[in-house]
Amino acid sequence: MALLQTSKYLQGSGVGGVNPDLASERQTASFSVEKLTAWLDGGAERTGLRRAVVEAIERDPVFSRENQYFQSQNERYEAAVRKAVHLQKKMHEMGWTDNGPELKYIYRALAGDVAFLLHRVFMRSISMLGSDKQVAKWIPLATRYQLIGSYAQTELGHGTYLQGLETTAVFDVTTQEFILNTPKISAMKWWPGDMGRSATHTVVFAQLYIEGKCYGVHPFIVQIRSLQDHSLCPGITAGDIGPKMNFEHIDNGFLMLQNVRVPRENMLNKFCEVQPDGTYVRSGSQKINYFTMTSVRIALISDEVIAPLMKACTIAIRYSVVRRQSKLEPGEQEAKILDYQTQQEKLLPQLAAAYAFHFINDYLEELFNKGYGEIQRKNFDTLPELHAFSSGFKAMVTQYSTSAVEICLRACGGHGYSSLSGLPSLYTKILASCIYEGENTILLLQTARFLIKSFAAASTGQPVPPSVTYLAAMKPGKCPAKSKSDFLSPDIYTEAYQHMAARLISSTAAKLQDLVQSGVKKHHAWNQCAVQLAQAAKAHCHYITVKNFAETVEKLKTQAGIQKIMKHLCDLFALHGIFSNAGVFLHDGYLSGAQMDMVTTSYLDLLPVIRKDAVPLVDAFDFTDQNLNSALGSYDGQVYQRLYEWAQKSPTNKMSPAYERYLKPLLHNKLSHL
Amino acid sequence: EALVINDPDFQHEDLNFLSRSQRYEQAIRKSSLMVMKLREYGIADPEEIYWFKSFVHRGRPEPLDLHLGMFLPTLLTQATPEQQDRFFMPAWNLEIIGTYAQTEMGHGTHLRGLETTATYDPATQEFILNSPTVTSIKWWPGGLGKTSNHAIVLAQLYTQGQCKGLHAFIVPIRQLGTHEPLPGITVGDIGPKFGYDEMDNGYLKMDNFRIPRENMLMKYAQVEPDGTYVKPVSDKLTYGTMVFIRSLIVGDSARSLSRACTIAIRYSAVRHQSELKPGEPEPQILDYQTQQYKLFPLLATAYAFHFVGAYIKDTYRRISGDINEGDLSELPELHALTAGLKAFTSWTANAGIEECRMACGGHGYSRCTDIYVTFTPSCTYEGENTVMMLQTARFLFKSYTQVSSGQRVTGMVSYLNDLPRQRIQPQHVAARTVTVRINDPVSLVEAYKARAARLVEDAAKNLQAELNHWKSKEDAWNRTSVDLVRASEAHCHYVIVKLFTAKLSEVSNAAVRAVLTDLCLLYALYGISKNTGDFLQAGILTNAQITQVNQRVKELLAIIRPNAVALVDSFDFHDVHLGSVLGRYDGNVYENMFEWAKKSPLNKTEVHESFHKHLKPMQAKL
């Protein structure tokens, strides 16, 4: 299929066949690419559906991203709005629905380059936090786009720490309204997507006051623009926050509220309600208000993080077999750069990580869907674990993937720096994921809080959630490995990760306790251990990722060709982590220096093995050329021709006024006869 | 500095709101003015020109960079006196604007792989220049796309049917007067990039383009009228320019990282978030240990790199003197050292700038400053970093081999001399573990030295083993290259700690020395805590000592905290130069951010045109 699409593309562009350097890589695959793709998708049927959706989108010229790299912020925004509007028509035409299985493939095909994503978050927060009555009122309006929503939480001076928000909503019992205000400049809403230019409504998070008493942060539906002429409503100041590193197509906005009144019914009240007389009633945990964020954190991992990482790997690895540089053997032609050990060591661990994160994402989605069902039945028991999971994995996966994409960018030498490689925009986009939906360090500390609590519970014999039972079985010991091949046993390395995570958690817990016992206030003690706490949380997530990867491979028994290569990738991911964090494994002598040398040898030995399958492994991600939008990463490997063709399309190649205005006088010496 | 910042001619709209064509135009406008003003003020000293330029362009690239930085200097060093007469004054007066066209689409750091050809035709006494393949198209040179009318082109010289390797040629590419490309020349801009928006990086394709014989730069190698090739005397001399440019990059790493630290640390003192103690106001985020742990080691690194940059510059000046007198003995070590330090500092600074930006949370993502995208290409240009590290490794391996065969080596690698002795007395290594004092920079230098020695030895031994096992030297080298890069990194790390420590004794003011000593300790100890594996595995430090190191790092964070803002103020960057709303000297971040956003082009009208074009029709239809 990918091949088919590629050749279609080629007919249009006039570039030659598949570059022989890339073609030869595909002939030696040790497994069936098609089978691996189907397995990644969750079955051949889904692969078929995905390809059908992607094809329908890519055949439609309205969704083209051809000139994206040459467009201004205004042009990008306009195109995104045009696509979002056209998408509604398209979905209707194709019979796709908002709850259908096609939806995630639609977004994959659009590569995020579409407006109104926050409109979806708006709807999600109403569905989750609104009463049945509110859902019945707002969701149909939003579905028909009779209004456009946004989600206004972050403020200029406040981000991840929600209790610090300063926007106020004061209940006025006489008129049965809330009065919303932005009391000072740092309280201005800042960053919400779709809000700068598009949205007519938004969910505003504000501190609720009833008769002078503050009840904490709650969500309110506020209309900000007229439904007739789109002008700003009275009391509203709103606009676009200006250029960013990426997301030029999104109108991230600011919003100031001055005595804006909304009816009592506009507070989302599934879990908390203000009654007409001003009585405040709560059912369930207040934390539930953040549940939208928890769910968004998990949802974003696959679309906004893993997909860009897979694309970056695809581009960098395909380019690395096309690019030749220097000689490995005297007298031979220049070698493919992927044949250099240093290049393999840069790229192959990132490829292994892409697979590892794909599997951990499956695991998280399953966990979340189970938990979500419980919460809808108002059982909040799993909430702390879910929250800890979503925070920690969001932080670890985004951080890891961001550096991985950057490694891919830099592994492509000069051409990686060209926007036409696609890598700069993948990088600046994935970078944002380290910050939005919760700054990573703070999220790790939230996970750490859960781990420390669980550790305390486990050590006193109380029951703990299944993901942390290992904390109870913590024992000192030494790694039993005797040779380098022992380190290719998942039991050996999973055990090492488990030991390391448990040690970091227990030693930090011990230090916290020491500090508190020596009279340091609890909050100070927490801050003095924060660096180690964040490290422990990361170690925990790393351990779970390795364990999950190993278990996934284990379950694959039936598909031998795939299992073998997946096992290699799993080994590489695990050993890369030990190799790169040698100190924490050596620290208490769990691994000896000699064992660390075995790890290094095993790790480096895996590189040439995986090298042989590197191209088939990225082919299996099955991104179309349009989707990659990269002059370096196309399926056919015609890198240099494409770069040259694309560059010629750049608007900078029209004659610039700079010549007539400045260069000409300069060259003709009118400026410099001094 | 004030000269430029207050000059109304150099003012313009915020670059962030301009398109690439507009940014290019602004840069050209300022460059033209700059050249005029340099002449007006009579500024000719390279150092002064550099500062003047960096204030005009606020540390950003500009289209005349290659003309001033490569074209003119190459004419000076490689052209014959006759060629200088023909080209230099016109170029000085900017009738000729030149660039330096080396990199090709398919070839970068490995120069011998370049494909462009220059074939000598004795009948007409001309060179015929050709780009024989797509991969041979010149690609990336700055100022080539739109600005230059000449280029120094590097091409494989063919004469009398033989290839004589790479040589430089002066090639006119655009018609003087109309600025149209000459027949046989295809030239243009390579399109948008990660950064460098104002620079017209270009491509150049030549089809049977003829230039006179006299356009080959012939100070060293020559082609006589009949086609006879005359070899240059020495080829080591070309090292000199590379060493010089790489040493500039080390200084640039220090400056770019310093700017990022200034922004992040000032902003962290302004931003308040969460609570440390219940009931109290939100604290400055710089009071959080995690924030200090992100930023202070980078601050220490910025200082360390600053001293390294100064050291290389001085060493280069000293050695250039020797070179002019024909003494080339120190050049190989300097060449190896600058290659490694260029890679080490640009990698670290690159990652550090990113850390700083991410430490500013969401607002760091706002397009208020472009240090990262402007700096990151330095990891690639003037030698891709991994290749640089391997060049250093080659030198280290050579030195190690010399030591093994009983010779002594000098300079920064002299620690290798101790290795054979240690093998005879293995207890020597063990004895050293207890002697490391973690509060003494001099003792930490020893620890880094021991780590470098071990990693160099490990890599050398592995390489030796591979050499015995594989027939091909190149295969063995490739199979050890990950180890070799690690050894080079450890060597560079040692050099930096050593230079930083040495600097401390030169500081006379006691208060300044105290705070620099804290920074030096933090730099060294943080480096250990990030590479504990190396120190533990080599037995240089014990587990207990590592725990102490980690503890001491955190204590140092608290010690440095009160001086943090003063330490970045000392870098003395003007607000205009920082170009960051978050990093303002006065700290009025939020007010100015709001003012800045209001100027965004998307805010030019209250209702954006796309509402009428798309949104309204859709709402009407649904």
Side-chain angles (χ1 to χ4, degrees):
Chain A
M1 177 76 181
L3 194 73
L4 202 96
Q5 282 176 348
T6 311
S7 51
K8 257 189 269 165
Y9 169 73
L10 288 176
Q11 282 165 10
S13 78
V15 172
V18 175
N19 186 320
D21 279 340
L22 197 45
S24 64
E25 300 283 336
R26 295 188 170 115
Q27 279 152 14
T28 52
S30 76
F31 60 92
S32 150
V33 171
E34 191 61 27
K35 273 198 181 134
L36 178 55
T37 302
W39 182 58
L40 289 175
D41 279 322
E45 238 169 70
R46 294 222 204 146
T47 303
L49 179 67
R50 174 171 60 71
R51 285 176 181 168
V53 171
V54 168
E55 207 198 335
I57 298 271
E58 288 183 349
R59 264 212 319 239
D60 190 327
V62 177
F63 296 119
S64 163
R65 289 159 66 219
E66 199 184 322
N67 288 315
Q68 181 178 309
Y69 299 129
F70 305 132
Q71 288 171 336
S72 71
Q73 195 183 359
N74 259 329
E75 290 165 333
R76 289 288 304 277
Y77 168 67
E78 195 185 317
V81 172
R82 189 174 63 233
K83 287 181 193 178
V85 169
H86 187 69
L87 180 62
Q88 294 314 307
K89 211 175 112 198
K90 190 93 194 169
M91 288 180 68
H92 187 71
E93 225 174 79
M94 304 292 297
W96 298 333
T97 64
D98 271 350
N99 312 317
E102 296 93 354
L103 197 69
K104 71 181 207 190
Y105 302 138
I106 294 173
Y107 282 99
R108 171 172 156 132
L110 292 171
D113 202 28
V114 62
F116 306 156
L117 294 177
L118 266 285
H119 181 70
R120 308 196 68 81
V121 177
F122 172 82
M123 289 172 69
R124 193 194 287 247
S125 60
I126 293 175
S127 315
M128 283 183 177
L129 306 177
S131 63
D132 294 345
K133 211 166 128 194
Q134 287 171 324
V135 170
K137 174 176 175 190
W138 294 101
I139 295 297
L141 288 170
T143 309
R144 291 198 304 270
Y145 281 88
Q146 278 163 328
L147 56 85
I148 294 165
S150 174
Y151 181 85
Q153 178 177 298
T154 300
E155 295 173 359
L156 192 45
H158 308 277
T160 310
Y161 179 68
L162 293 184
Q163 284 109 295
L165 295 181
E166 295 178 280
T167 305
T168 58
V170 178
F171 185 61
D172 178 353
V173 73
T174 55
T175 61
Q176 296 284 302
E177 289 172 322
F178 294 104
I179 310 164
L180 283 102
N181 267 299
T182 304
K184 57 201 236 208
I185 192 152
S186 55
M188 186 169 10
K189 294 294 176 187
W190 196 273
W191 283 110
D194 294 334
M195 198 173 77
R197 306 267 89 189
S198 304
T200 60
H201 288 68
T202 185
V203 173
V204 171
F205 281 77
Q207 302 284 357
L208 168 65
Y209 284 86
I210 307 168
E211 288 175 9
K213 190 177 166 204
C214 180
Y215 287 87
V217 174
H218 289 74
F220 302 85
I221 299 179
V222 179
Q223 181 172 356
I224 59 171
R225 286 192 175 88
S226 151
L227 290 170
Q228 267 69 49
D229 62 4
H230 215 62
S231 63
L232 293 172
C233 292
I236 302 282
T237 310
D240 179 271
I241 63 162
K244 299 141 290 187
M245 292 185 81
N246 195 318
F247 292 91
E248 293 96 336
H249 61 294
I250 299 289
D251 53 324
N252 295 88
F254 58 80
L255 170 69
M256 267 202 285
L257 303 149
Q258 278 157 321
N259 291 318
V260 174
R261 288 175 170 264
V262 300
R264 188 177 64 89
E265 295 76 25
N266 278 24
M267 181 173 119
L268 293 176
N269 60 9
K270 179 166 188 173
F271 300 102
C272 311
E273 193 182 1
V274 178
Q275 293 178 339
D277 64 351
T279 311
Y280 178 82
V281 185
R282 169 183 297 165
S283 59
S285 161
Q286 196 191 358
K287 291 224 165 88
I288 197 67
N289 279 333
Y290 314 141
F291 193 64
T292 313
M293 277 193 71
T294 304
S295 76
V296 171
R297 267 174 210 155
I298 293 184
L300 77 89
I301 290 180
S302 91
D303 297 348
E304 301 294 327
V305 184
I306 299 175
L309 173 58
M310 288 175 166
K311 285 184 194 176
C313 288
T314 307
I315 295 168
I317 287 177
R318 286 186 183 160
Y319 176 65
S320 294
V321 299
V322 169
R323 176 73 168 194
R324 289 176 175 272
Q325 178 84 2
S326 306
K327 291 172 184 179
L328 266 172
E329 310 274 344
E332 285 190 4
Q333 65 167 328
E334 292 186 62
K336 292 177 177 180
I337 57 175
L338 196 58
D339 286 327
Y340 290 94
Q341 190 190 45
T342 44
Q343 185 78 354
Q344 293 166 8
E345 210 264 331
K346 283 177 198 172
L347 294 178
L348 301 182
Q350 317 316 324
L351 177 63
Y355 276 92
F357 295 155
H358 177 86
F359 301 132
I360 199 72
N361 181 57
D362 287 350
Y363 169 78
L364 286 176
E365 276 179 4
E366 197 183 317
L367 203 73
F368 178 80
N369 288 337
K370 240 167 52 196
Y372 182 59
E374 292 292 312
I375 286 163
Q376 290 309 50
R377 290 190 287 280
K378 300 211 173 180
N379 170 5
F380 301 110
D381 293 350
T382 55
L383 201 56
E385 192 188 12
L386 263 188
H387 187 70
F389 258 106
S390 76
S391 307
F393 279 102
K394 186 266 178 186
M396 186 200 68
V397 174
T398 56
Q399 206 160 314
Y400 203 116
S401 304
T402 299
S403 29
V405 171
E406 207 210 343
I407 290 170
C408 291
L409 187 154
R410 284 202 259 157
C412 292
H415 295 323
Y417 191 74
S418 167
S419 300
L420 306 180
S421 74
L423 291 166
S425 54
L426 285 173
Y427 176 66
T428 49
K429 195 165 183 196
I430 199 171
L431 186 60
S433 70
C434 294
I435 300 149
Y436 62 57
E437 302 307 329
E439 198 278 332
N440 279 351
T441 303
I442 301 181
L443 293 185
L444 287 173
L445 291 175
Q446 287 175 3
T447 307
R449 206 174 282 276
F450 168 78
L451 292 172
I452 294 290
K453 259 192 205 159
S454 304
F455 178 74
S459 21
T460 53
Q462 293 164 48
V464 290
S467 61
V468 283
T469 44
Y470 73 94
L471 294 175
M474 158 81 187
K475 50 185 181 290
K478 298 215 179 294
C479 173
K482 296 209 167 46
S483 68
K484 66 174 188 173
S485 61
D486 285 349
F487 280 102
L488 299 178
S489 150
D491 290 342
I492 294 281
Y493 55 68
T494 309
E495 187 77 29
Y497 273 93
Q498 188 193 83
H499 178 88
M500 184 267 302
R503 178 180 69 76
L504 288 174
I505 294 163
S506 70
S507 67
T508 313
K511 191 181 157 198
L512 260 178
Q513 206 176 6
D514 283 355
L515 283 171
V516 172
Q517 275 171 1
S518 69
V520 179
K521 292 222 175 75
K522 230 174 167 179
H523 288 83
H524 274 301
W526 185 262
N527 192 31
Q528 282 174 30
C529 297
V531 169
Q532 282 158 302
L533 286 162
Q535 192 194 18
K538 227 188 288 179
H540 168 74
C541 296
H542 206 157
Y543 156 58
I544 301 284
T545 308
V546 169
K547 181 166 167 254
N548 181 62
F549 200 160
E551 286 168 1
T552 308
V553 173
E554 183 67 19
K555 280 184 230 146
L556 252 172
K557 272 189 183 122
T558 46
Q559 308 196 22
I562 294 177
Q563 197 206 19
K564 203 165 147 210
I565 186 69
M566 286 299 124
K567 165 78 170 51
H568 289 320
L569 282 176
C570 180
D571 294 346
L572 186 74
F573 180 75
L575 296 184
H576 171 74
I578 300 178
F579 173 77
S580 321
N581 300 287
V584 290
F585 291 92
L586 290 164
H587 188 90
D588 65 340
Y590 185 80
L591 287 186
S592 67
Q595 284 172 323
M596 194 53 77
D597 284 338
M598 295 172 198
V599 168
T600 306
T601 311
S602 267
Y603 165 63
L604 294 177
D605 284 351
L606 277 167
L607 296 174
V609 176
I610 296 171
R611 154 72 187 90
K612 292 195 193 91
D613 280 323
V615 168
L617 280 168
V618 296
D619 284 352
F621 295 145
D622 203 24
F623 288 106
T624 61
D625 286 350
Q626 283 103 313
N627 203 281
L628 289 173
N629 210 8
S630 161
L632 301 189
S634 289
Y635 188 84
D636 66 8
Q638 299 295 357
V639 167
Y640 299 118
Q641 288 87 335
R642 202 169 268 109
L643 252 184
Y644 187 40
E645 264 179 38
W646 288 14
Q648 284 166 311
K649 288 193 239 160
S650 171
T652 41
N653 281 323
K654 294 183 193 118
M655 196 64 183
S656 159
Y659 173 66
E660 284 297 326
R661 277 187 216 156
Y662 306 110
L663 280 179
K664 200 170 168 186
L666 182 69
L667 288 162
H668 294 191
N669 236 354
K670 283 179 195 137
L671 286 173
S672 51
H673 53 91
L674 294 155
Chain B
E1 181 173 334
L3 215 59
V4 177
I5 289 170
N6 301 325
D7 189 331
D9 286 346
F10 289 126
Q11 305 307 317
H12 54 77
E13 209 182 323
D14 190 319
L15 290 174
N16 288 301
F17 300 134
L18 300 180
S19 74
R20 258 203 78 208
S21 285
Q22 290 167 323
R23 280 171 86 147
Y24 168 66
E25 196 181 322
Q26 283 297 342
I28 280 281
R29 184 179 71 83
K30 290 201 291 185
S31 298
S32 306
L33 273 168
M34 176 184 79
V35 172
M36 214 170 73
K37 300 222 171 189
L38 283 173
R39 306 285 157 82
E40 192 181 315
Y41 299 133
I43 296 174
D45 177 70
E47 189 102 15
E48 281 182 41
I49 292 180
Y50 177 84
W51 287 114
F52 195 86
K53 190 178 98 67
S54 80
F55 281 107
V56 170
H57 291 280
R58 295 164 197 182
R60 308 193 56 84
E62 54 111 353
L64 294 184
D65 274 351
L66 276 273
H67 178 74
L68 300 172
M70 290 297 287
F71 190 79
L72 291 175
T74 309
L75 284 180
L76 281 177
T77 54
Q78 297 190 36
T80 62
E82 302 82 61
Q83 288 175 322
Q84 297 208 6
D85 286 347
R86 262 175 72 209
F87 294 108
F88 192 79
M89 279 323 284
W92 180 251
N93 288 328
L94 289 146
E95 284 160 47
I96 288 178
I97 297 179
T99 178
Y100 190 82
Q102 175 177 301
T103 301
E104 295 174 359
M105 184 132 60
H107 308 276
T109 310
H110 180 66
L111 290 184
R112 275 165 296 165
L114 295 181
E115 295 178 271
T116 303
T117 59
T119 310
Y120 185 64
D121 176 1
T124 59
Q125 306 221 355
E126 288 173 321
F127 291 104
I128 310 163
L129 284 137
N130 268 303
S131 310
T133 59
V134 181
T135 45
S136 73
I137 295 174
K138 294 291 177 187
W139 199 269
W140 282 110
L144 173 63
K146 301 274 108 186
T147 313
S148 300
N149 53 26
H150 280 68
I152 289 177
V153 170
L154 267 79
Q156 305 285 358
L157 166 65
Y158 283 85
T159 181
Q160 299 176 335
Q162 277 186 318
C163 180
K164 299 290 179 187
L166 277 187
H167 290 77
F169 302 84
I170 300 177
V171 181
I173 54 174
R174 287 177 187 270
Q175 185 71 51
L176 297 182
T178 65
H179 213 58
E180 293 290 337
L182 294 166
I185 296 285
T186 312
V187 64
D189 177 89
I190 62 164
K193 295 142 297 190
F194 205 178
Y196 273 60
D197 278 352
E198 45 280 277
M199 179 67 100
D200 54 324
N201 296 86
Y203 58 77
L204 170 68
K205 186 167 173 290
M206 292 168 290
D207 295 301
N208 289 316
F209 188 76
R210 288 174 171 262
I211 55 169
R213 185 183 67 92
E214 296 77 20
N215 277 27
M216 174 173 142
L217 291 174
M218 295 214 230
K219 187 167 178 185
Y220 301 110
Q222 287 167 11
V223 173
E224 292 179 349
D226 66 352
T228 309
Y229 179 74
V230 184
K231 267 209 307 211
V233 191
S234 160
D235 51 0
K236 255 189 194 165
L237 286 164
T238 48
Y239 278 6
T241 327
M242 283 197 282
V243 169
F244 175 66
I245 301 274
R246 285 172 194 164
S247 73
L248 286 184
I249 293 175
V250 174
D252 206 33
S253 301
R255 268 187 303 279
S256 299
L257 184 58
S258 306
R259 284 171 66 191
C261 285
T262 305
I263 294 168
I265 288 178
R266 286 188 185 156
Y267 176 66
S268 298
V270 171
R271 177 80 171 188
H272 290 257
Q273 178 83 359
S274 305
E275 46 188 20
L276 268 171
K277 287 173 226 161
E280 287 194 8
E282 297 185 62
Q284 294 165 295
I285 57 174
L286 200 54
D287 286 334
Y288 288 96
Q289 192 190 50
T290 44
Q291 188 76 355
Q292 294 168 4
Y293 189 69
K294 283 179 200 169
L295 296 177
F296 294 168
L298 294 172
L299 179 64
T301 307
Y303 273 91
F305 288 2
H306 178 80
F307 299 134
V308 174
Y311 167 83
I312 297 193
K313 210 162 80 181
D314 291 346
T315 314
Y316 175 71
R317 283 215 181 116
R318 184 171 56 77
I319 295 187
S320 328
D322 299 345
I323 294 171
N324 285 340
E325 283 156 27
D327 175 7
L328 301 179
S329 60
E330 281 189 79
L331 203 51
E333 178 177 7
L334 187 64
H335 178 248
L337 187 63
T338 46
L341 286 175
K342 180 259 175 189
F344 189 94
T345 59
S346 63
W347 263 337
T348 312
N350 191 59
I353 293 164
E354 258 320 75
E355 273 282 314
C356 286
R357 216 188 40 61
M358 286 205 258
C360 294
H363 295 319
Y365 191 74
S366 183
R367 200 65 182 253
C368 308
T369 182
D370 267 354
I371 305 174
Y372 177 78
V373 292
T374 308
F375 182 73
T376 190
S378 62
C379 294
T380 310
Y381 61 55
E382 299 306 328
E384 200 278 327
N385 276 354
T386 304
V387 180
M388 293 298 98
M389 280 297 186
L390 288 171
Q391 283 184 6
T392 306
R394 212 171 278 277
F395 177 77
L396 293 173
F397 180 64
K398 222 167 109 187
S399 306
Y400 176 83
T401 319
Q402 283 173 349
V403 169
S404 311
S405 66
Q407 297 173 50
R408 290 189 69 76
V409 290
T410 55
M412 288 286 184
V413 287
S414 51
Y415 59 85
L416 296 173
N417 291 330
D418 300 339
L419 280 172
R421 190 155 40 89
Q422 282 164 22
R423 269 197 300 278
I424 303 163
Q425 302 167 290
Q427 75 277 17
H428 193 85
V429 183
R432 198 173 36 203
T433 49
V434 285
T435 64
V436 175
R437 296 174 307 276
I438 65 163
N439 283 314
D440 176 5
V442 177
S443 175
L444 295 174
V445 173
E446 291 303 310
Y448 273 92
K449 186 197 267 189
R451 167 186 177 233
R454 179 192 126 108
L455 287 175
V456 170
E457 179 164 50
D458 279 1
K461 279 185 178 161
N462 287 347
L463 180 57
Q464 205 53 57
E466 293 285 356
L467 278 170
N468 297 339
H469 187 260
W470 297 82
K471 285 199 186 84
S472 140
K473 221 165 100 185
E474 288 75 12
D475 250 338
W477 181 263
N478 189 31
R479 295 181 62 88
T480 324
S481 53
V482 170
D483 298 333
L484 289 163
V485 170
R486 278 179 78 188
S488 292
E489 281 174 346
H491 174 71
C492 291
H493 211 157
Y494 153 67
V495 169
I496 294 168
V497 173
K498 182 180 155 87
L499 292 175
F500 199 161
T501 305
K503 200 77 198 171
L504 296 176
S505 57
E506 293 173 25
V507 183
S508 50
N509 180 309
V512 174
R513 189 168 58 233
V515 71
L516 284 180
T517 305
D518 291 336
L519 283 176
C520 180
L521 276 174
L522 179 63
Y523 180 75
L525 293 173
Y526 180 80
I528 294 175
S529 77
K530 284 281 138 185
N531 297 284
T532 49
D534 292 346
F535 291 91
L536 284 169
Q537 206 181 351
I540 302 163
L541 292 168
T542 62
N543 291 339
Q545 282 176 315
I546 293 286
T547 308
Q548 281 172 28
V549 166
N550 291 334
Q551 189 53 34
R552 187 68 191 140
V553 165
K554 284 182 289 180
E555 287 164 14
L556 284 165
L557 297 178
I559 293 171
I560 290 167
R561 168 68 184 90
N563 285 323
V565 171
L567 281 165
V568 296
D569 285 351
S570 310
F571 293 138
D572 200 22
F573 288 111
H574 195 283
D575 274 354
V576 172
H577 201 177
L578 284 177
S580 161
V581 181
L582 301 184
R584 295 172 63 90
Y585 187 80
D586 67 10
N588 290 322
V589 169
Y590 298 127
E591 297 79 353
N592 285 288
M593 191 140 200
F594 188 35
E595 288 309 311
W596 179 77
K598 282 197 276 193
K599 290 187 216 147
S600 165
L602 276 184
N603 288 328
K604 280 215 170 108
T605 55
E606 190 71 64
V607 177
H608 194 265
E609 55 180 332
S610 61
F611 171 70
H612 301 288
K613 267 200 213 159
H614 305 293
L615 288 179
K616 208 171 169 187
M618 171 182 75
Q619 286 169 333
K621 263 186 247 158
L622 287 164

